[in-house]
Amino acid sequence: MQTRGVVQDTGEDVPARRESEPVWIAAYTDWLQRAQTGDHSRVVVEIEQRQGQVSVPPHIQALWNYAKSIALFVGRRGEEALVTVEEIIASGRMADDDALVALGLAAQARLLNRTGSPLKALYSYGQAESLLRRNIDQVEESRTWPGALVELFACALDLDSRERADHLLSLCRRFPEERLLAVERLAIAHNTAEVRLWDALRSARVPPFQVDTEVLEEAVDAAGEAHRLADKIGIVVAQADPLLWQGIWQSWSGDAAYGVTLLDPILDKGDPHLHTMRLTGAASRLHALRRAGLTDRLHRVVERESSLAVDAARNRSPAGIAYLWERAVTEHPELEEPGSQLGHLLRLWEQRDRERVDFAHDLLELRITHDEIESQRQELDDLARRDPLTGVLNRRGLDPLLRASARLPVGETAALLVIDFDRLKALNDSRGHVTGDEYLQKVAHALTSESRHEDVVARIGGDEFVVLAYLSPNATEQPHAIGERIRSRVAEYTDGMVSVSVGVATRTQPVNPREWTTAADRAMYESKRGGGDRVHAVTLPEPNEAQASASG
């Protein structure tokens, strides 16, 4: 793709107040276009400069890194490109956004496939599709899934998985135009054109050796849509060149000599941005030369294209197969004669190659199914470890974490806080159990809000909660103060309708989990004996009663 009339980033610092999502998307579109047209080195520099200047949301960061990975790959810096897509995956996981993770995995699969690691590519793609299946009900409402779906669609085509590609295309088409970026709509149209063209040409390799003109028309129409979209956003897409597609059409279904006239200048220029369309165009030219009876010219072209034949053999894509077939028929016209054994063997080779691909995708489906079952098992296991009313851990979820915390070595401090409602029965009797449940939920929310990411919150009884807090050696807040903060925050979250008694047991060396829990329980009951709505703290091991403190 070539940029036409697009303002490029100057590398100068842009005031933050001027930065907005449309500006970021415009920069991404510009970089993505230029990355594929020889300006890849400059694109990498510009993206890295902008990333150092502006803080952007995770989905924008992912798009920028995607453009950067394309630029690196085009610049033959494959290892760096793979590192960049790993950053997309990591940022998606940090943002808890499965769509961004899937985008990174699909991009990773395409890079791996194009750098000679097809099995690894299938594994990455399988992980991406597993995420899609897990989120399928949320896709249409998601902000980030549309772009991920477009990349998955392109990846499925790269991996020659037509059934998956067709399904993904149907998902992409559910989105109204405004939900997709212009370059994403362009990618859908262009990829659709290529795959329909491959379908049309496949029919020319089996008796009666005629192209499927109806499907070819669909391909040409899709290519026309790609060209219109490219023109609308101000870029030139070599693969959607109307003259290229008119030449292909004429070569197979119209004036063959005119098709050669149209294709010659495009193919002989050797534009690297044609990608697989170069092979399809070359196959079409060979076919047109045969149809037009230009035998001498046909053999000169075949002789000149020996390196292209090697590329086609290595490529093993539908475009490569189409070219190799036309070349073989040029040298052995008898291949299309009824009863040709060699023709039959070539078609059998293609069928076997197709079966090999299908087998690989069957294995992929098994892997995806395994991942889905494992994910469901983990979800069920997680549900079994959580309290259904409040969403925090239950006793089953708490116990292994409590045992691990009890074994922490000397010098590592952990506090176990037992929090119990004061007079929950009276609240249930006066306001009903539904209201009592609502207050249990509010208390759970207060505890999780006041706890740090590494702390653990659990409900282990009807009105009894536990917080397992880890304290660093230089922590300024003492365990007793943590209990006080929780006590006051519960009152705040419940508008003073609920008070709690808190018992805190702190360990600074390995202890028996049962003794630790018993010490925290005793401290909580000490708070209740003092009238409730207070905190009592102890430290383990307890050499004497002087280690206890209480406050109201």
Side-chain angles (χ1 to χ4, degrees):
M1 289 186 284
Q2 294 179 325
T3 306
R4 188 168 67 217
V6 178
V7 178
Q8 297 184 9
D9 182 14
T10 62
E12 297 175 1
D13 196 0
V14 180
R17 59 184 175 81
R18 292 175 53 195
E19 294 288 344
S20 63
E21 182 145 332
V23 173
W24 299 329
I25 294 296
Y28 161 69
T29 303
D30 178 39
W31 288 327
L32 193 61
Q33 295 155 12
R34 291 164 49 215
Q36 301 174 73
T37 55
D39 201 17
H40 44 79
S41 297
R42 179 60 187 164
V43 166
V44 173
V45 172
E46 289 177 10
I47 293 174
E48 291 177 346
Q49 286 178 343
R50 184 65 73 87
Q51 288 175 325
Q53 294 167 352
V54 183
S55 177
V56 296
H59 71 283
I60 297 295
Q61 191 72 263
L63 290 177
W64 287 5
N65 276 329
Y66 177 73
K68 180 181 173 183
S69 71
I70 297 294
L72 289 167
F73 178 73
V74 172
R76 301 184 182 277
R77 296 159 66 180
E79 290 298 323
E80 293 176 70
L82 285 168
V83 170
T84 301
V85 295
E86 286 171 3
E87 291 175 9
I88 299 174
I89 297 168
S91 64
R93 286 175 175 153
M94 288 180 64
D96 196 24
D97 190 329
D98 283 349
L100 296 184
V101 178
L103 171 67
L105 287 167
Q108 183 182 63
R110 296 184 75 188
L111 287 172
L112 289 168
N113 190 52
R114 295 182 182 190
T115 53
S117 300
L119 292 179
K120 290 182 180 179
L122 283 171
Y123 180 73
S124 293
Y125 175 85
Q127 290 179 293
E129 188 169 311
S130 293
L131 290 173
L132 171 61
R133 294 187 186 185
R134 194 182 309 164
N135 292 273
I136 195 66
D137 293 335
Q138 290 81 42
V139 164
E140 292 190 43
E141 303 301 321
S142 167
R143 182 183 192 181
T144 48
W145 267 111
L149 276 174
V150 173
E151 183 66 11
L152 275 165
F153 166 58
C155 184
L157 290 179
D158 271 15
L159 297 173
D160 203 14
S161 180
R162 284 300 310 283
E163 185 176 343
R164 284 186 167 82
D166 289 344
H167 172 63
L168 290 163
L169 179 59
S170 69
L171 290 177
C172 290
R173 286 177 170 164
R174 291 185 189 178
F175 298 108
E177 283 193 5
E178 60 271 16
R179 292 289 308 282
L180 293 167
L181 299 179
V183 289
E184 292 169 346
R185 297 199 304 274
L186 171 58
I188 290 172
H190 163 61
N191 284 311
T192 300
E194 279 210 49
V195 76
R196 296 308 282 157
L197 177 59
W198 297 339
D199 290 343
L201 300 193
R202 186 175 290 116
S203 65
R205 298 195 293 275
V206 296
F209 304 106
Q210 293 177 354
V211 72
D212 188 326
T213 53
E214 184 177 341
V215 177
L216 183 58
E217 284 180 4
E218 292 177 13
V220 173
D221 288 345
E225 175 64 15
H227 177 70
R228 286 189 291 273
L229 286 167
D231 194 57
K232 185 176 180 180
I233 59 179
I235 63 174
V236 175
V237 181
Q239 305 99 305
D241 183 348
L243 293 178
L244 171 66
W245 282 88
Q246 188 179 358
I248 290 172
W249 168 260
Q250 295 291 346
S251 295
W252 294 91
S253 257
D255 184 337
Y258 182 46
V260 174
T261 301
L262 292 171
L263 290 174
D264 273 346
I266 297 172
L267 297 174
D268 292 344
K269 186 170 63 174
D271 187 346
H273 304 115
L274 285 174
H275 302 298
T276 54
M277 284 301 297
R278 184 180 177 215
L279 287 170
T280 315
S284 300
R285 180 167 65 178
L286 292 180
H287 186 80
L289 288 167
R290 284 197 299 115
R291 282 184 64 216
L294 302 172
T295 308
D296 291 341
R297 173 77 195 287
L298 175 62
H299 289 290
R300 287 198 301 272
V301 170
V302 167
E303 185 176 348
R304 191 171 68 239
E305 289 182 343
S306 57
S307 62
L308 189 61
V310 173
D311 290 342
R314 289 173 177 169
N315 188 275
R316 299 187 77 169
S317 69
I321 291 172
Y323 177 78
L324 290 174
W325 173 262
E326 289 302 320
R327 190 179 175 94
V329 173
T330 296
E331 297 177 352
H332 303 280
E334 69 275 10
L335 289 175
E336 292 186 340
E337 294 177 0
S340 168
Q341 289 298 310
L342 182 56
H344 174 71
L345 288 173
L346 284 175
R347 289 190 293 277
L348 188 62
W349 169 80
E350 182 179 352
Q351 179 184 336
R352 291 289 182 267
D353 196 57
R354 179 69 256 171
E355 290 173 353
R356 177 189 60 81
V357 173
D358 289 343
F359 177 70
H361 285 284
D362 287 342
L363 291 178
L364 170 63
E365 185 62 37
L366 286 174
R367 176 71 198 193
I368 292 172
T369 302
H370 173 270
D371 288 346
E372 287 179 332
I373 293 172
E374 180 63 19
S375 175
Q376 291 168 0
R377 188 197 66 77
Q378 290 177 354
E379 287 176 5
L380 290 173
D381 187 61
D382 186 57
L383 286 173
R385 294 173 183 273
R386 290 196 175 274
D387 172 48
L389 177 64
T390 62
V392 300
L393 293 178
N394 57 20
R395 186 178 291 277
R396 179 182 175 184
L398 172 68
D399 282 348
L401 300 174
L402 180 66
R403 290 194 296 270
S405 300
R407 291 195 298 267
L408 289 173
V410 174
E412 294 195 27
T413 304
L416 181 64
L417 293 85
V418 175
I419 301 104
D420 195 85
F421 275 54
D422 295 326
R423 296 172 291 278
L424 177 63
K425 184 177 184 302
L427 181 65
N428 284 335
D429 290 343
S430 62
R431 297 204 171 193
H433 285 277
V434 172
T435 300
D437 287 349
E438 290 175 353
Y439 279 112
L440 284 168
Q441 291 170 334
K442 289 180 179 181
V443 169
H445 185 46
L447 297 179
T448 54
S449 298
E450 282 303 297
S451 300
R452 299 161 302 173
H453 178 72
E454 63 269 24
D455 295 339
V456 176
V457 178
R459 180 186 176 206
I460 59 173
D463 60 352
E464 191 171 2
F465 290 84
V466 162
V467 173
L468 188 56
Y470 301 96
L471 288 80
S472 62
N474 56 353
T476 56
E477 189 176 37
Q478 296 302 308
H480 185 280
I482 295 174
E484 285 289 359
R485 177 161 51 81
I486 286 175
R487 183 184 65 83
S488 62
R489 189 51 58 93
V490 166
E492 179 183 326
Y493 270 68
T494 60
D495 298 321
M497 294 300 298
V498 172
S499 67
V500 292
S501 296
V502 183
V504 185
T506 305
R507 50 117 291 165
T508 57
Q509 62 187 49
V511 295
N512 183 291
R514 186 183 297 276
E515 292 176 0
W516 193 14
T517 304
T518 299
D521 271 333
R522 287 174 178 170
M524 182 271 293
Y525 282 113
E526 191 65 30
S527 293
K528 284 191 175 293
R529 280 192 289 272
D533 192 21
R534 62 187 59 224
V535 178
H536 190 84
V538 298
T539 301
L540 296 180
E542 294 182 80
N544 54 60
E545 290 296 321
Q547 290 176 305
S549 62
S551 68

